[in-house]
Amino acid sequence: MKKTLLATLAVLLTVGTAQVYGQSVTGGIKANANLSNFIRTDLDGLDNPMRVGASVGGFLKWDITEHFALQPELMLHFKASKFEQTVGSVKTGTSYEYYGIEIPVYAVGQMQLGNGRGYIGAGPYVGLGFSAKNHPGGNLYSSNTLQRWDFGAGAMIGYEFGCRVGINAGYQIGFIDALDSGKDDATMLPQTVSLGLSYRF
């Protein structure tokens, strides 16, 4: 409770400071569809096609100037992919499902385009996994196959209409090997492509 109160106070102070200096801080919600898999090394013969997932969350947008803003986000997501291997003429595979949370912070360049505003942004993110499972299989965290923490970078591009409804597309890549075991034999870096909608209050 104490940490929650301190975090809320910090946000309020930030918003108050921004308003004092004539800058605008607004918030919004967004929902994305995503496609994800892993960039792999030393995993010959193993295919990893992308599958569809989704994410939902909120963001704060701090318009520092007319053409530059900072946008931190808090996103809950479901990601999925599949691992397939062909032995002889027989293809076998397992489905991978992952639930977690990500906090990206984007530096955003923006400009007026027609009745709305176009923007492009880039920045780091940190992620924490809640659950990762193979079907058939089990929990990949409890078996020490994958690690929960992720850190990487992302980029996004979008357009916000005059009614504050926006469309956006993004790409993220992780810098930390997702494998918690077998690190000397192979690496797996997560990547995600997304397309979504947003609304800024």
Side-chain angles (χ1 to χ4, degrees):
M1 179 63 73
K2 184 177 180 181
K3 291 183 178 179
T4 302
L5 290 174
L6 289 175
T8 303
L9 179 60
V11 170
L12 291 175
L13 288 174
T14 301
V15 172
T17 301
Q19 290 174 342
V20 166
Y21 287 96
Q23 298 165 349
S24 171
V25 176
T26 54
I29 56 175
K30 64 188 303 185
N32 297 334
N34 65 56
L35 293 170
S36 62
N37 67 353
F38 295 92
I39 299 174
R40 307 168 316 283
T41 64
D42 298 325
L43 289 172
D44 296 335
L46 185 66
D47 294 325
N48 182 213
M50 290 180 164
R51 296 181 64 188
V52 178
S55 60
V56 62
F59 63 90
L60 289 176
K61 189 164 184 291
W62 180 8
D63 289 307
I64 297 174
T65 69
E66 180 183 356
H67 298 293
F68 179 74
L70 290 178
Q71 182 170 308
E73 300 180 355
L74 178 63
M75 302 294 294
L76 297 170
H77 57 249
F78 163 74
K79 297 181 181 181
S81 63
K82 192 170 184 178
F83 293 95
E84 297 178 339
Q85 188 170 21
T86 301
V87 179
S89 60
V90 179
K91 178 178 286 189
T92 60
T94 60
S95 297
Y96 167 76
E97 296 180 352
Y98 163 82
Y99 298 87
I101 189 171
E102 284 179 354
I103 303 176
V105 179
Y106 294 106
V108 180
Q110 56 192 4
M111 65 180 298
Q112 195 74 21
L113 291 175
N115 294 326
R117 184 161 51 178
Y119 60 88
I120 184 169
Y125 76 87
V126 61
L128 175 63
F130 299 147
S131 173
K133 294 182 179 180
N134 266 354
H135 300 281
N139 190 316
L140 298 175
Y141 291 144
S142 61
S143 64
N144 294 324
T145 303
L146 296 181
Q147 58 178 332
R148 294 180 182 271
W149 288 99
D150 183 27
F151 174 77
M156 65 172 180
I157 186 170
Y159 183 81
E160 183 183 289
F161 298 92
C163 60
R164 294 197 173 190
V165 172
I167 56 175
N168 63 84
Y171 175 76
Q172 289 181 322
I173 182 170
F175 298 153
I176 298 177
D177 186 1
L179 287 175
D180 195 34
S181 60
K183 288 184 180 294
D184 294 335
D185 300 323
T187 60
M188 293 187 356
L189 302 179
Q191 66 173 346
T192 304
V193 178
S194 62
L195 180 66
L197 297 172
S198 64
Y199 179 75
R200 187 167 58 90
F201 301 116

